[in-house]
Amino acid sequence: MAQTSRRQEARKIASLGLAAWVLLLPIALVSLGIWQTQRAAETLEHARRSSAELSTTLAQVKNIAASDPTAILTFQGAGEPTSLAALVAVSQIEAALSQADEELEISQIRRPLVWGTIGGAVLAFFGGALGLMAAGISGIRARVSQRQLIASFQRLRSLLPFILATVVIGFSIGVISAALFEAVSMGLWADFTTGSAKLFAVAVVLAVIAAYSAFTALRGLKDVFALFTPEPLVAAGRVIEETEAPELWRFVRSLAGRQHALLPDTIIVGLGQGFFVTESQLRLWPEDRLVTGRSLYLPAAYLDLLDQAEIAAIIGHELAHFSGEDTTYSQQFTPIYAGLWRALAALGRADGGRFVLYPAVKLGFHAMQRFDHAVAHWSRLREFDADRSGSLLATPADAASALIRTGIIAPAVAYVLQRAYAGPDDTGSDDAWPDLVAQTTELVTTNGWSDPMPLLGDRQPHPTDSHPPTIQRISALGVEIGDDLLRRAMRQPEPGARSFADDLFSDWAGLCRLLSKDFIDDARMMRDRRREVLEKVVAGASQETVVYDNVKPMIWTMVIVAMIFAGFGLTVVFLSGQLGLGYDEFAQSLIAAITAFGAVTSLLYAAFLYRNAARPLMVLTPDALLASRLDKPVAWTDVAGYAVYASSRFALRLWLNQDAPVPKKHWRAIYSKIDRRQRIITLGALGIKGVKAADFSALVGRYHEAAYARQELAAAMLHPSRDASADETAGKY
């Protein structure tokens, strides 16, 4: 209940945030535009009236000045009447008229900008409202049927880029117009001071940033328009031709015929990723082969540990996805849906301060989230239907046993592959390559299975779709999880017995060794790349670096303070009469003593800093950090994380690992702190001499990463290879 309440509260907050960005912000821009409209109309009318009145007055005063230049004219302004000679009045009226004409021109320039503010905001509002409405309607229709889900999503994916572009363009026009209106308006201020100039510059910069943000945002939206060519899935495995496994193809063809499903165009066998089918493009390594059409993927270790009925139920389940609406679903929806999510996520990460893009990104995520529940609902039903279809090729008990057995096979496969990835046997003979499939079978034969009950809540792995928990799928088959089912699912492989996979493939052992070689070759390549990266990181911090406290600014500050104290004291002593102290010797002595104390204290502190300036603040060695504030070094591998602060005072903060020793600080290190309970070390300083805070943080990071890289390289040297034999693996997977 508490989790449900928290989720509901989180959804409410997210909805309010979305409404604020997509609807309330454009409304606020419209309100600003209306206010700007009123201001623009008032200033335009005032400028026109002033220009007309001043033009009339100027003509009259010029006529008077032509006949009597020295005539004194009295003008009634907003304050007291003003009297001016005719010639002087002409000059001042001409200046006022010039200013009025300038104000009139500014008013005429900024008047169209208000329509840009209002129009852009209205465009953004209607784009956002249309997006919310389209997302809501599409989400509701998507729950009606799987076919309606596909149709609704296709309509939304066609509209969404244009809706997002409308929001971005409208918001950009509104912000740019509003900023330019205010920037131009500052020209009407009578007291255009330095502060006004700064505001003007800020408004112009804001408009430029908005324009640039709009340009980059629209350029980023190109990715959204180009989303609909899905990227190929990537998998590891080998294509199995019918000549290599005629019995496998005959078996799959028989299963497809019995359930009236389409036959796969390609069958692939690999070491991991579970059973799955797809109609998306599939890129296979290590051959870098692009596979198209209907593909069936079979994991080798699972085939070796399942019997014929279980394999039939699983393959039947997968082939069921090639029938009915599942084919359209997998071709037209799943890859594009996943691609659109990836593109929106990339667009969100690329936002990076382009604030005009933010409302569109939030709207895009909201539109996709409206489909999530429908997608999960239909995906769940698709899996239940496929389970029932697969169980018809064997029995519901066989299908339930297959679900449990694949769940307990997964940890053993993961363990063997992880050990092989960490360090396979180094051999150059193809015949001597280890058979990782056989190792998995030997592992479970010798050590048994892990407890299946905690795994029943897990979901079967799949590269594109999510599956319901295993326990729900078994329940939907109408099978009770009892001792008989668990005994069948957890049966031990018979030593030396042939598996059903041996009957399906012409050379099952050779295929398993080939797949193992592919995996180990890739692991070796990845380890080599990893080693190169680690060695490069280590080389970047192979020498020690000495850093000093940046005391020079503080020394000069203390000297200046001492001079101020001394100057004030001398002034009081020698100019006491002028300062009103007369001959009050006590006051003079007290002030002299205080100022002398201040001057001496400042100089002593400056001398203390000068004396310690030659002493290193820290020494960064490849293995540890030596700090003058601490009684012993701190090994880099004892540091879990670090941060450099340079706001009010410079500090290096280190978070230690739980088992790391905590040093003590010297009593003189008043700005440093050791928190033993939280295991945090804070080393305070005035700064780092000749190094900026960001550069010092990067320097510490290089030593920190290099130490862990050196540790990883040393571990690799100590354990260059490991054997996944049964006596080492009991109870570990």
Side-chain angles (χ1 to χ4, degrees):
M1 289 295 291
Q3 289 182 349
T4 302
S5 178
R6 283 195 294 269
R7 285 197 295 267
Q8 290 176 347
E9 189 68 25
R11 283 197 292 268
K12 288 180 181 178
I13 294 174
S15 298
L16 290 175
L18 177 67
W21 276 100
V22 177
L23 299 178
L24 297 183
L25 186 58
I27 290 174
L29 267 178
V30 170
S31 301
L32 175 61
I34 293 173
W35 181 50
Q36 290 178 339
T37 301
Q38 296 172 349
R39 291 161 55 198
E42 290 173 359
T43 54
L44 181 59
E45 179 61 28
H46 178 269
R48 285 174 176 171
R49 188 170 57 251
S50 296
S51 180
E53 291 175 354
L54 287 171
S55 297
T56 302
T57 303
L58 180 61
Q60 294 173 352
V61 174
K62 281 186 175 180
N63 290 334
I64 296 172
S67 58
D68 186 4
T70 60
I72 302 299
L73 304 177
T74 301
F75 297 91
Q76 181 64 49
E80 295 293 329
T82 303
S83 298
L84 297 171
L87 288 177
V88 176
V90 169
S91 176
Q92 292 192 3
I93 293 172
E94 287 178 342
L97 179 59
S98 175
Q99 182 177 350
D101 290 340
E102 183 179 343
E103 292 180 358
L104 178 60
E105 184 178 354
I106 291 174
S107 298
Q108 291 172 338
I109 290 174
R110 72 175 189 162
R111 190 174 186 182
L113 293 174
V114 300
W115 301 113
T117 303
I118 296 175
V122 169
L123 185 64
F125 177 84
F126 279 109
L130 178 62
L132 292 175
M133 183 174 63
I137 294 174
S138 298
I140 293 172
R141 289 181 174 175
R143 295 183 180 93
V144 175
S145 68
Q146 186 167 286
R147 181 174 299 174
Q148 189 60 250
L149 166 66
I150 298 171
S152 297
F153 180 74
Q154 287 176 337
R155 284 193 294 267
L156 181 66
R157 76 179 178 91
S158 300
L159 285 174
L160 188 59
F162 298 100
I163 291 173
L164 299 186
T166 300
V167 173
V168 171
I169 293 172
F171 190 40
S172 302
I173 292 174
V175 171
I176 294 170
S177 299
L180 290 178
F181 179 92
E182 298 302 332
V184 173
S185 299
M186 293 175 191
L188 301 176
W189 294 6
D191 52 344
F192 193 77
T193 61
T194 303
S196 305
K198 291 180 180 179
L199 290 176
F200 176 81
V202 168
V204 172
V205 169
L206 179 62
V208 171
I209 291 175
Y212 175 74
S213 299
F215 170 74
T216 53
L218 291 174
R219 187 173 60 182
L221 281 174
K222 288 191 309 181
D223 298 333
V224 178
F225 283 93
L227 293 178
F228 311 125
T229 303
E231 296 179 358
L233 300 175
V234 179
R238 294 277 179 168
V239 173
I240 304 301
E241 304 293 345
E242 189 162 0
T243 55
E244 300 175 83
E247 292 300 322
L248 171 65
W249 277 92
R250 188 178 297 112
F251 180 64
V252 172
R253 189 176 289 110
S254 172
L255 296 176
R258 289 168 59 187
Q259 62 183 159
H260 305 290
L262 295 174
L263 187 70
D265 300 312
T266 308
I267 297 178
I268 302 163
V269 177
L271 287 184
Q273 297 183 333
F275 294 86
F276 68 88
V277 291
T278 183
E279 295 189 65
S280 301
Q281 290 184 337
L282 192 64
R283 186 170 296 281
L284 289 180
W285 61 265
E287 297 176 292
D288 193 24
R289 179 174 177 177
L290 187 64
V291 177
T292 58
R294 296 182 298 276
S295 300
L296 169 64
Y297 186 96
L298 306 175
Y302 291 72
L303 291 177
D304 206 48
L305 290 167
L306 295 167
D307 62 21
Q308 180 176 349
E310 290 167 335
I311 293 175
I314 294 175
I315 294 180
H317 167 103
E318 299 300 339
L319 295 180
H321 291 308
F322 285 149
S323 62
E325 294 181 352
D326 276 5
T327 299
T328 306
Y329 185 90
S330 60
Q331 282 182 324
Q332 301 180 13
F333 179 79
T334 302
I336 299 175
Y337 183 73
L340 187 55
W341 261 116
R342 288 194 301 270
L344 281 175
L347 197 61
R349 290 192 299 269
D351 182 10
R354 298 198 292 270
F355 59 92
V356 296
L357 183 60
Y358 191 68
V361 171
K362 288 189 72 69
L363 180 60
F365 278 120
H366 170 74
M368 294 298 294
Q369 287 166 356
R370 296 292 294 175
F371 277 91
D372 276 353
H373 295 297
V375 170
H377 171 72
W378 294 115
S379 178
R380 176 190 181 94
L381 294 183
R382 288 170 66 244
E383 294 306 318
F384 289 153
D385 289 341
D387 283 339
R388 283 191 291 270
S389 180
S391 69
L392 296 177
L393 300 178
T395 66
D398 292 327
S401 174
L403 286 171
I404 296 175
R405 195 165 177 85
T406 52
I408 59 178
I409 289 173
V413 172
Y415 181 78
V416 170
L417 295 184
Q418 286 171 2
R419 287 184 64 84
Y421 187 89
D425 293 334
D426 189 11
T427 177
S429 172
D430 288 348
D431 295 335
W433 282 100
D435 184 343
L436 300 181
V437 176
Q439 285 186 10
T440 305
T441 302
E442 181 183 356
L443 176 66
V444 297
T445 301
T446 306
N447 296 303
W449 300 101
S450 57
D451 184 6
M453 300 310 292
L455 303 176
L456 294 180
D458 292 346
R459 303 170 189 268
Q460 295 292 334
H462 193 280
T464 58
D465 289 340
S466 60
H467 290 67
T470 301
I471 192 169
Q472 293 183 11
R473 297 174 67 183
I474 294 175
S475 177
L477 289 170
V479 178
E480 181 182 354
I481 302 177
D483 292 339
D484 291 340
L485 177 62
L486 293 176
R487 190 180 302 110
R488 167 158 165 64
M490 298 181 66
R491 67 188 181 279
Q492 292 290 100
E494 297 181 9
R498 285 172 58 86
S499 67
F500 181 59
D502 285 297
D503 298 330
L504 296 177
F505 294 85
S506 301
D507 185 7
W508 174 241
L511 174 62
C512 292
R513 285 195 300 272
L514 177 61
L515 295 175
S516 301
K517 180 180 182 300
D518 291 342
F519 181 87
I520 293 171
D521 282 344
D522 181 69
R524 178 181 291 120
M525 181 180 65
M526 296 298 292
R527 285 200 310 275
D528 290 342
R529 291 179 181 176
R530 176 68 178 170
R531 186 181 299 110
E532 291 175 3
V533 171
L534 293 175
E535 290 173 349
K536 186 176 180 180
V537 170
V538 170
S542 59
Q543 304 293 327
E544 68 177 35
T545 301
V546 181
V547 295
Y548 296 88
D549 203 347
N550 190 26
V551 298
K552 187 175 180 180
M554 183 58 71
I555 291 175
W556 280 108
T557 300
M558 290 298 100
V559 170
I560 293 172
V561 170
M563 293 173 63
I564 292 173
F565 272 118
F568 181 73
L570 292 174
T571 301
V572 169
V573 171
F574 291 105
L575 300 175
S576 57
Q578 290 84 340
L579 296 175
L581 297 176
Y583 296 97
D584 189 345
E585 295 182 357
F586 176 76
Q588 294 179 19
S589 301
L590 180 62
I591 294 174
I594 292 173
T595 54
F597 177 79
V600 171
T601 301
S602 300
L603 289 174
L604 288 176
Y605 185 53
F608 172 77
L609 294 175
Y610 180 78
R611 180 181 178 184
N612 289 334
R615 183 181 182 184
L617 174 67
M618 303 175 196
V619 179
L620 285 68
T621 71
D623 298 319
L625 170 69
L626 287 72
S628 60
R629 271 75 163 157
L630 304 177
D631 64 338
K632 57 185 176 182
V634 178
W636 291 116
T637 51
D638 288 340
V639 177
Y642 75 95
V644 174
Y645 301 92
S647 53
S648 58
R649 178 173 291 276
F650 186 92
L652 170 63
R653 183 164 294 174
L654 306 173
W655 285 266
L656 301 182
N657 294 318
Q658 288 299 318
D659 57 346
V662 181
K664 298 179 180 179
K665 75 179 184 73
H666 296 306
W667 64 270
R668 293 183 300 175
I670 58 177
Y671 297 119
S672 298
K673 181 181 178 182
I674 304 293
D675 187 338
R676 294 188 173 276
R677 187 169 62 88
Q678 299 291 333
R679 310 183 69 80
I680 299 175
I681 301 173
T682 303
L683 300 175
L686 296 173
I688 303 299
K689 184 178 179 181
V691 180
K692 296 180 179 179
D695 295 334
F696 180 69
S697 178
L699 178 67
V700 173
R702 286 198 296 273
Y703 278 91
H704 186 233
E705 293 174 4
Y708 277 98
R710 191 178 299 104
Q711 185 182 60
E712 186 175 338
L713 287 172
M717 291 294 292
L718 288 174
H719 306 286
S721 64
R722 297 180 181 181
D723 178 32
S725 58
D727 60 340
E728 291 183 332
T729 59
K732 292 183 180 180
Y733 65 90

